[in-house]
Amino acid sequence: SSSAASSSKASSSAASSSKASSSTASSVASGDSSACVAGGVIDGKEVDCGGKTLGLSCDSDNEGQPAVLTLKNGAIVKNLHIKAGGGAHGISCLAGNCTLKNVTWDEVCEHAAGNYSEGGTYSIYDSVAYQNLDTLAVDGNKPDKFFQDNAFNSKMYVRNFTAIMVKTGSMTSSGKILRTCGDCSTNKGGRTLDMDGLTVKHVDTSGNRVSGP
């Protein structure tokens, strides 16, 4: 009887431990697709946008546009579309490390993603960005770059990214994949780009190859 009571107590303790463990797991920062809103801030959470399409506006490559999403402190965002004509200041990383997974930009505006987190790493996996070569003729976009890194001692870590330039006007190229600190008052560094699995395509509006792979 004593042994049974002991066993029951141990079982109760294990159940209590399991409950505590479950409570700890559920307290890990996460969020559902409702956290994916244009102009939103995602701080320290992993959010699956579930294929949502978000966007704001696009004012050429002018500075001062708002970010479609702002990420901070370990934020992870996945399964998201940024709509054409709504790319604005892209998806910004402002603090700590940030991660994007399976994001498609239907049209890049000022840039697709920008790192402004000093000492932070911005990781981008399995994503695609389209950029119209239209000299402002379509959606106000002015092709310039895909990524921006303005943060000191920072890193852009990119794996399996496809950059697609769409010939919609007389322009022949987008400029660059990455621009570092284009508007910094003191352009000190360093900054690191670690990229593997980059594909660059140049197509017409029907998707037919103009140049490249």
Side-chain angles (χ1 to χ4, degrees):
S1 176
S2 173
S3 173
S6 175
S7 173
S8 175
K9 185 176 181 181
S11 176
S12 173
S13 174
S16 176
S17 173
S18 173
K19 186 176 181 181
S21 174
S22 174
S23 175
T24 299
S26 65
S27 69
V28 173
S30 62
D32 59 25
S33 63
S34 64
C36 290
V37 293
V41 177
I42 298 176
D43 190 346
K45 293 181 180 180
E46 178 171 353
V47 176
D48 187 342
C49 294
K52 269 190 176 182
T53 298
L54 301 181
L56 292 172
S57 59
C58 181
D59 184 19
S60 182
D61 63 346
N62 290 325
E63 297 290 340
Q65 298 183 68
V68 178
L69 282 176
T70 297
L71 312 186
K72 298 180 178 181
N73 305 317
I76 300 171
V77 170
K78 56 188 179 182
N79 303 323
L80 172 67
H81 272 255
I82 305 298
K83 71 178 183 180
H89 202 243
I91 303 177
S92 296
C93 178
L94 286 194
N97 298 328
C98 308
T99 302
L100 299 178
K101 298 179 180 180
N102 189 32
V103 175
T104 297
W105 289 264
D106 292 330
E107 183 187 13
V108 174
C109 183
E110 185 180 355
H111 50 251
N115 191 0
Y116 306 92
S117 172
E118 183 169 354
T121 297
Y122 198 170
S123 301
I124 300 168
Y125 298 92
D126 306 318
S127 295
V128 179
Y130 292 82
Q131 195 173 70
N132 287 339
L133 307 181
D134 54 37
T135 59
L136 309 185
V138 181
D139 301 325
N141 179 44
K142 180 180 179 183
D144 182 29
K145 73 270 187 191
F146 287 89
F147 301 131
Q148 177 88 25
D149 190 351
N150 280 17
F152 301 151
N153 301 315
S154 60
K155 184 176 187 177
M156 297 287 290
Y157 183 89
V158 183
R159 291 294 182 271
N160 301 322
F161 178 75
T162 300
I164 303 175
M165 298 177 292
V166 183
K167 183 175 174 58
T168 55
S170 60
M171 295 185 71
T172 58
S173 69
S174 71
K176 55 197 77 70
I177 293 294
L178 173 75
R179 184 182 189 185
T180 65
C181 215
D183 62 350
C184 295
S185 57
T186 56
N187 195 11
K188 61 184 180 181
R191 298 173 191 86
T192 301
L193 171 63
D194 185 339
M195 179 177 282
D196 189 29
L198 170 67
T199 300
V200 178
K201 296 182 178 181
H202 186 194
V203 300
D204 61 23
T205 52
S206 298
N208 299 312
R209 184 177 69 88
V210 175
S211 63

